[in-house]
């Protein structure tokens, strides 16, 4: 390496212009301000953050309380339905007993004196069963001579009948039942139609 090259490497760096020095000072000032906010700025920033957090917590609290009320209402409704319709399956199974007692009554000759005791026994048993049904709000649907209602009746057949309005129940093949207003079994019926 020559002496000249060494002198250039060891030479002092060039002096910046006044404009460059002012720009560097302004940048350093701005950097200093951004790096260290004042106590008032920090306080204002923290207060804004606190207000945001308080608002979010208040909204979360309201939502949580509403959810708790909804859960309570659902639980109360479920308990009411459980109490009201707990007997639904059991009652549905007992309907065949009532049907069989009614069929037995229909099969016995009302004029035969020898069957009078059996007939009375079946009538009392059926009455007792229907009284128990009534005690537990199990209602019988027997829509003879009423207009056909597809929500409560099941049409097994339609028969043309003169002098009867169309869509009228003319015969009940099997009675229907409701438990507390909920249909357990529709009444199976024969419905009239226009001739």
């Amino acid at each position: 390496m020559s002496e000249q090259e060494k002198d250039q490497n060891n030479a002092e760096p060039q002096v910046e212009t006044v404009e460059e020095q002012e720009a560097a000072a302004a940048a350093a000032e701005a950097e200093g301000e951004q790096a260290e906010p004042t106590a008032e700025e920090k306080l204002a920033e923290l207060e804004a953050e606190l207000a945001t957090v308080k608002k979010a917590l208040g909204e979360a609290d309201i939502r949580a309380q509403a959810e708790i009320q909804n859960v309570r209402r659902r639980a109360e409704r479920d308990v009411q339905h459980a109490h009201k319709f707990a007997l639904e399956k059991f009652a549905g199974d007992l309907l065949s007993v009532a049907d069989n007692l009614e069929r037995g009554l229909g099969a016995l000759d009302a004029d035969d004196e020898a069957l009078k005791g059996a007939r009375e026994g079946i009538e009392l048993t059926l009455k007792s069963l229907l009284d128990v049904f009534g005690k537990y709000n199990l209602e019988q649907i027997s829509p003879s001579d009423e207009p056909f209602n597809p929500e409560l009746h099941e049409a097994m057949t339609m028969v043309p009948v003169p002098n009867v309005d169309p869509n009228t129940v003319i015969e009940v093949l099997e009675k229907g039942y409701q438990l507390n207003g909920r249909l357990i079994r529709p009444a199976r019926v024969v419905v009239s139609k226009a001739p």
Side-chain angles (χ1 to χ4, degrees), residues 74-105:
R74 269 186 248 128
E76 288 172 4
R77 186 178 60 232
D78 290 347
V79 167
Q80 287 174 350
H81 281 270
H83 285 235
K84 196 172 184 182
F85 300 110
L87 297 176
E88 186 170 1
K89 185 170 174 29
F90 180 69
D93 291 341
L94 281 180
L95 298 183
S96 62
V97 175
D99 294 338
N100 289 336
L101 288 172
E102 288 176 354
R103 283 188 203 107
L105 274 176

